[in-house]
Amino acid sequence: MHGRKKLTLENFMQGLARRNPRQFEFHQAVEEVAASVIPYILQHPEYMKARILERMAEPDRTIIFRVVWEDDQGGIHVNRGYRVQFNNAIGPYKGGLRFHPTVNLSILKFLGFEQTFKNSLTTLPMGAAKGGANFNPKGKSDREVMRFCQSFMTELHRYIGPNVDIPAGDLGVGTREISYMFGQYKRLENEFTGVITGKALEYGGSFVRREATGYGCAYFMQQMLHQKGDSVEGKTCIVSGAGNVAQHTAEKLIELGGKVIAMSDTSGFIHDPEGIDQEKLNFIMDLKNRKRASIAEYAEKFKSQYYPNQKPWSVPCDLAFPCATQNEIDECAAQELVKNGCIGVAEGANMPTLKEGVNVFQNARILYAPGKASNAGGVAVSGLEMTQNIMRLNWNRDELEARLKDIMRQIHQKCLYYGQEEDGRIDYVRGANIAGFKKVADAMLAYGTI
Ligand code: NDP
């Protein structure tokens, strides 16, 4: 067909790597999706003819800009800001902003690409984007963070809007940063709209948004276990990270009767065989959200073990929840988890497991949920925040939690539909990828060649 190479994973990935040199995280994210979607496309030639996968792997546009700000001593700093508007076939662009020194185009393209499928899975009308800056909020004063956020938004506001692109938080972007950015947008545009989600409750935020990613992740595990006639009750759990997603995954697991025995941060991990109950979790929340201190203080306070500079995957557990960052479970860590009896993994973070690690979980036939399914609760409640902003009303906490739970159930159902294997096992990776792909692909087909 027009001298085109046959659609195989190898040919497709070669082209992608040539067009996006050295963007390894982006290659990794695309390959994971392409491996399950290409066989499906080969059975549906209309997608192949319209080159839907090639089009999906190319962002609609990428915006890169300079962010200049002044520190408390009057020193001038220059950072690089980004917004990758990936795909708006099924709704306005939607996805978080990440402030972290490692932010680059490869990371944001991997996150934006993943977001396309995740947002599609939520059942809500949301396209996909991701953005951020190579700015490190750690160690900065509140006023420095404010000046950075205002400078960042002074440029970004030109490209976003409540019907165009609605950013949210991600690593390094919590309520404080969202508030500074929303305040600046409101000032520049002279309008109060739901242009950004993750806002505080007083000015257009939603109940359960803060908790949504973590709660959703725990609900997804509950669904996977329920499907096998099992439950979270009494299971030992490891949660990596100690930020927003980790805290609320742990909170819901505790509520569901799970026993969380390890958590971590960039400094190392803590192991508490007695279990982290709600009171101990409140200590961690205060430690991370207010004091912004190391998790080592937990070990001192509750006389448990602290392992500096290590990841928690060597601790035997029934269930594992990687909720810190990308590529935190490699092949060895995955083997160790399986060897120690782990029966289920649900990703709270985006792409925390390397391809080799995913293979280990799948070959061991344990339950494994990719982040685009199991952490979709966050963006789903962001979508509900947008709905409430447009309607100018607030649903109550119970209403939102019920909706979140139902969305996670529906995502699980979609994974079952497309991921069921002949022997009854569920391939959640294939299920999530194909279900996410199909909705966006059908919309793109309907629009014709644009
Ligand atoms: P936070 O910044 O609130 O927390 C991140 C946590 O992970 C912190 O405890 C941090 O440690 C730890 N961490 C970060 N990098 C590393 C590393 N290299 N090694 C060990 N620990 C690390 O972020 P979130 O909880 O919001 O996000 C976590 C993950 O979940 C990310 O992958 C994000 O993309 C994903 N996600 C987040 C959503 C959300 O709603 N917030 C939605 C969907 C996905 P320390 O405390 O020392 O900094």
Side-chain angles (χ1 to χ4, degrees), residues 62-276:
T62 300
I63 300 144
I64 303 183
F65 51 94
R66 181 177 68 226
V67 187
V68 184
W69 58 281
E70 196 175 330
D71 65 28
D72 290 343
Q73 286 71 45
I76 304 294
H77 299 261
V78 186
N79 285 97
R80 189 171 293 171
Y82 303 84
R83 188 69 178 164
V84 183
Q85 295 181 331
F86 227 100
N87 190 304
N88 69 353
I90 60 167
Y93 301 110
K94 176 95 199 91
L97 296 170
R98 176 175 289 195
F99 291 168
H100 196 272
T102 58
V103 161
N104 59 33
L105 207 46
S106 172
I107 298 226
L108 295 179
K109 281 169 72 176
F110 120 59
L111 289 164
F113 182 77
E114 285 271 300
Q115 199 83 44
T116 310
F117 300 84
K118 184 190 308 194
N119 291 5
S120 164
L121 280 171
T122 63
T123 71
L124 302 173
M126 295 185 289
K130 203 80 191 190
N134 62 345
F135 168 76
N136 188 0
K138 270 192 194 162
K140 306 287 189 304
S141 71
D142 284 349
R143 299 186 66 76
E144 287 172 334
V145 170
M146 178 186 79
R147 285 194 290 272
F148 176 82
C149 289
Q150 290 178 341
S151 181
F152 182 82
M153 187 51 85
T154 301
E155 182 62 25
L156 185 69
H157 86 104
R158 304 168 205 276
Y159 310 105
I160 62 174
N163 296 311
V164 179
D165 182 354
I166 304 95
D170 189 67
L171 282 181
V173 180
T175 313
R176 176 183 61 170
E177 290 77 13
I178 293 285
S179 303
Y180 290 144
M181 287 191 276
F182 180 65
Q184 183 73 349
Y185 180 90
K186 188 171 68 59
R187 178 188 183 195
L188 290 165
E189 294 285 340
N190 192 28
E191 61 175 35
F192 194 111
T193 55
V195 67
I196 192 162
T197 59
K199 300 184 289 300
L201 282 173
E202 297 77 22
Y203 42 88
S206 172
F207 281 114
V208 190
R209 171 60 193 94
R210 194 163 44 96
E211 300 89 342
T213 309
Y215 280 15
C217 183
Y219 285 142
F220 199 88
M221 177 60 87
Q222 188 187 33
Q223 289 284 334
M224 291 199 296
L225 289 167
H226 182 71
Q227 169 74 15
K228 296 185 68 163
D230 203 347
S231 78
V232 172
E233 178 98 48
K235 300 278 188 303
T236 51
C237 307
I238 295 181
V239 179
S240 70
N244 175 290
V245 179
Q247 292 169 15
H248 297 104
T249 299
E251 185 164 79
K252 187 52 74 180
L253 288 171
I254 296 166
E255 197 188 309
L256 295 174
K259 187 173 178 189
V260 179
I261 53 170
M263 288 182 75
S264 67
D265 67 9
T266 45
S267 78
F269 78 89
I270 51 118
H271 179 201
D272 184 347
E274 300 293 308
I276 300 170

Side-chain angles (χ1 to χ4, degrees), residues 254-317:
I254 296 166
E255 197 188 309
L256 295 174
K259 187 173 178 189
V260 179
I261 53 170
M263 288 182 75
S264 67
D265 67 9
T266 45
S267 78
F269 78 89
I270 51 118
H271 179 201
D272 184 347
E274 300 293 308
I276 300 170
D277 58 17
Q278 184 65 48
E279 200 187 322
K280 292 173 173 176
L281 185 62
N282 290 344
F283 177 85
I284 295 180
M285 288 180 172
D286 186 59
L287 195 67
K288 300 309 291 187
N289 305 348
R290 198 179 55 81
K291 286 173 74 184
R292 299 180 192 264
S294 153
I295 201 155
E297 288 189 26
Y298 177 98
E300 272 169 47
K301 166 95 178 163
F302 297 108
K303 309 277 170 281
S304 63
Q305 289 296 315
Y306 169 63
Y307 298 87
N309 304 317
Q310 285 186 50
K311 294 188 167 64
W313 311 122
S314 55
V315 177
C317 66

